[in-house]
Every structure is written in C-alpha cells, then in structure tokens.
Amino acid sequence: QRKRVLEIAVENQADLIEGADHLGHCAALLQETERPPICIKLHYNDVLYDLRYAQAAYPWQRFLILLACVRQYKRLAAERYSIEAADFVTAPCKEILLRAQKQGLHLPDRTNVLPNPVELPDIDSRQNSEAEQPTLLLVGRVDFGKGIQFLPKLLRTVRQQFPAAVLEIAGQDSSAKGIPSILQWLKKRTEDNAIRYLGILNREQLDKAYRRAWLVLSPSKWDTFPNTVLEAMAYSRPVAASPFGGAQEMLKGTGSIVSRPDSKYFTQEIYRLLTDSDLRRKIGRQGQRKVVREYSPEYAAQKYVDWFKKVL
C-alpha cells in the first residue's frame, strides 16, 4: 500500500498527501524520505482517552476497552506516530486539537481547523412541516458514544409535560462490550410508544425526518464533528447538543442548546423550545444562516485550498 500511494503521488505530481489519524495507516508512509508532505486529519482515534472511552456506559466497559487497546498496542503506536510525525495536522474542530495537546501529544507546528462542509437542502422552496406531535430526532449509529444512555431519563422527564412527545432515531443499531444490542438496551428502559426507530434511511427519507422534527438531539459523550448538527442547522431546526466535541463551535451564536445532556438545564431548555414555536423558528433561521455562511461546500473548499497554498 505504501509503495502504491507513492506511485500514485508521483504519477499525479501530488503536492500533498492527506491521511486519517485512525488505524495509523500513514505511519509507514511517513518514514519514507522521498515523498510529498503528509497531512494527517485528526478526527477520531484511540490514542486520545476522551475519544477512546466515549463508548463506555459502565465502569467495567472501560476496563474491557483498555484491555482491547493493550492488545492493539501496535496500532495505537502507529496512530500516535502518524499524528506526531506528520508535516501538517488539520482537524474539523478546535476541541480535538486542545484535547490532543492536553494529553501530551506533540503536534506539528503547522496545524489548522478546517471544518467539513454539509450538503445544503433546497432551502428556498422548503416550507416548515413540523409533525403534529412534539417530535425529537436523533440521527446516527445507536451507541453509547452518541449519548444513548442519557435518553431514557430525558424522555421520561419530557413526557411528563408533553405526553405525546416521541423520539425518532435514524441510524444503525450497534453493540458494545457485553451488550449485544444497544437499541434493545434502550427500548427496555423507555415507554413503548416513546421511541420510533426508523433504521437506516435513504436521502429522501432522511429529508422528511428532518422536516417533521421539532428539535434535533446530539447528546454525544464525544463527537469530533457531528454532521447531523450541520444538517439540522441547514434544515433550520434547533439543536440540543452536548459540549463534548465540535458541536459547541458549530452552534455558537445560533441560540441552540449546548449543555451536558444529563443536566437539568438541558431538559429545561428542551421544554422551552417545545413550548415556543416562534423561538424554534428564530433559532432555526440563525443556524441556517450560519451553515450557508461558514459550512457550504464552496466555502469549505476555498478555506482548505487557501491554507494549503500558504503552508506549502
């Protein structure tokens, strides 16, 4: 693989090779002396403790994850080497760079935040089409890293004031250490009619799900750059997100909720948004304007090109 990558770089006269941090595939490539500069995109890896243990809901799961990492020590060493030996490092949010530095990783001098873009829906012709009953939406894989463990208590509390409220989940079920199905784990802890599991949706189905949602949830224990947050903003939907990862940067200035998902404030603000349709529309419009301004494909591509022209 390493030789083939270098061959492709030579054939195409590449000025730069970009690789991911996870799995450490670029570690061997970085040891080559005759190669273009290599940029590692810092997104998700098991070197950083916050990212590693985000999948654990119970203390015993943390121990099992640690054992798995011990068995995979060569991969973790390659991941760390690829980050520290890179010529450049980029990340879609500031928070992951700060976490890496706090943990003691030696990042290269040339680092930058380059957010991912989002495909914008047909904003001009879209009409507000919220469902009749209060509808919350969570988009993503059903796992503890996405904050699934916070949902039973949240739903019980919300439904005390809004008995008809429902949570729609669009995404694939998954397992965790000792738990074969996290979706079944969740269903056992919630009322029968509180959750509507949609499964994996195509683009048209997901479009309809965003349009009928009153509010989009992103209660992750860690999410470097939750694309669902950008999609919700693009659909002018308010978001309730955790501060662990990039969501707080993405939602800054929009009025959406950013707080610990197990806090009273998180639930109180969801109450407020479900009660006030005017506020939902106001926050939604502010988020939509920010997406168009800062996360469109054109803007993201230009920022990407400008920075690499500068450092190269």
Side-chain angles (χ1 to χ4, degrees), residues 167-181:
L167 169 65
E168 293 192 338
I169 300 179
Q172 184 176 4
D173 189 14
S174 67
S175 60
K177 299 295 183 182
I179 301 175
S181 170

Side-chain angles (χ1 to χ4, degrees), residues 172-227:
Q172 184 176 4
D173 189 14
S174 67
S175 60
K177 299 295 183 182
I179 301 175
S181 170
I182 297 179
L183 178 62
Q184 293 305 316
W185 179 95
L186 176 62
K187 287 183 174 180
K188 289 178 181 178
R189 290 161 175 77
T190 55
E191 299 176 43
D192 290 339
N193 60 346
I195 292 177
R196 186 180 300 138
Y197 179 59
L198 307 177
I200 300 174
L201 304 183
N202 60 34
R203 188 66 251 179
E204 182 180 357
Q205 293 168 330
L206 187 58
D207 177 86
K208 292 178 180 178
Y210 275 119
R211 292 174 191 267
R212 64 177 174 261
W214 290 28
L215 175 73
V216 175
L217 294 178
S218 182
S220 303
K221 291 184 67 178
W222 177 271
D223 207 332
T224 303
F225 196 85
N227 198 59

Side-chain angles (χ1 to χ4, degrees), residues 135-141 146-148 150-152 154-155 158 166-170 186 194-195 210 213-220 223 226-230 232 237-242 247 251 256-257 259 261 266-267 269-271 273-274:
T135 302
L136 310 177
L137 175 64
L138 188 147
V139 179
R141 191 174 64 254
K146 297 293 183 183
I148 295 297
F150 302 122
L151 297 180
L154 174 64
L155 286 174
V158 168
V166 63
L167 169 65
E168 293 192 338
I169 300 179
L186 176 62
I195 292 177
Y210 275 119
W214 290 28
L215 175 73
V216 175
L217 294 178
S218 182
S220 303
D223 207 332
N227 198 59
T228 182
V229 169
L230 285 190
R237 292 299 183 257
V239 180
S242 76
L251 293 169
S256 278
I257 304 166
S259 180
F266 194 79
T267 307
E269 288 299 290
I270 289 176
Y271 277 157
L273 286 176
L274 294 180

Side-chain angles (χ1 to χ4, degrees), residues 24-87:
H25 286 324
C26 284
L29 193 61
L30 281 160
Q31 295 176 8
E32 294 286 338
T33 55
E34 298 295 328
R35 59 167 176 79
I38 294 177
C39 175
I40 294 297
K41 184 174 183 179
L42 197 60
H43 187 81
Y44 192 93
N45 61 75
D46 285 325
V47 176
L48 299 181
Y49 301 142
D50 294 305
L51 283 64
R52 178 192 302 181
Y53 295 115
Q55 300 297 325
Y58 301 101
W60 55 268
Q61 288 180 313
R62 293 176 63 91
F63 177 71
L64 292 177
I65 291 172
L66 175 60
L67 286 180
C69 288
V70 170
R71 290 196 298 268
Q72 295 289 325
Y73 74 94
K74 290 184 178 179
R75 175 177 62 82
L76 266 68
E79 287 183 354
R80 179 160 188 155
Y81 178 81
S82 68
I83 295 168
E84 296 188 323
D87 299 292

Side-chain angles (χ1 to χ4, degrees), residues 102-120:
K102 184 177 180 180
Q103 193 174 309
L105 268 69
H106 301 289
L107 301 181
D109 293 334
R110 291 170 291 187
T111 64
N112 198 12
V113 175
L114 298 175
N116 299 329
V118 65
E119 182 180 355
L120 301 176

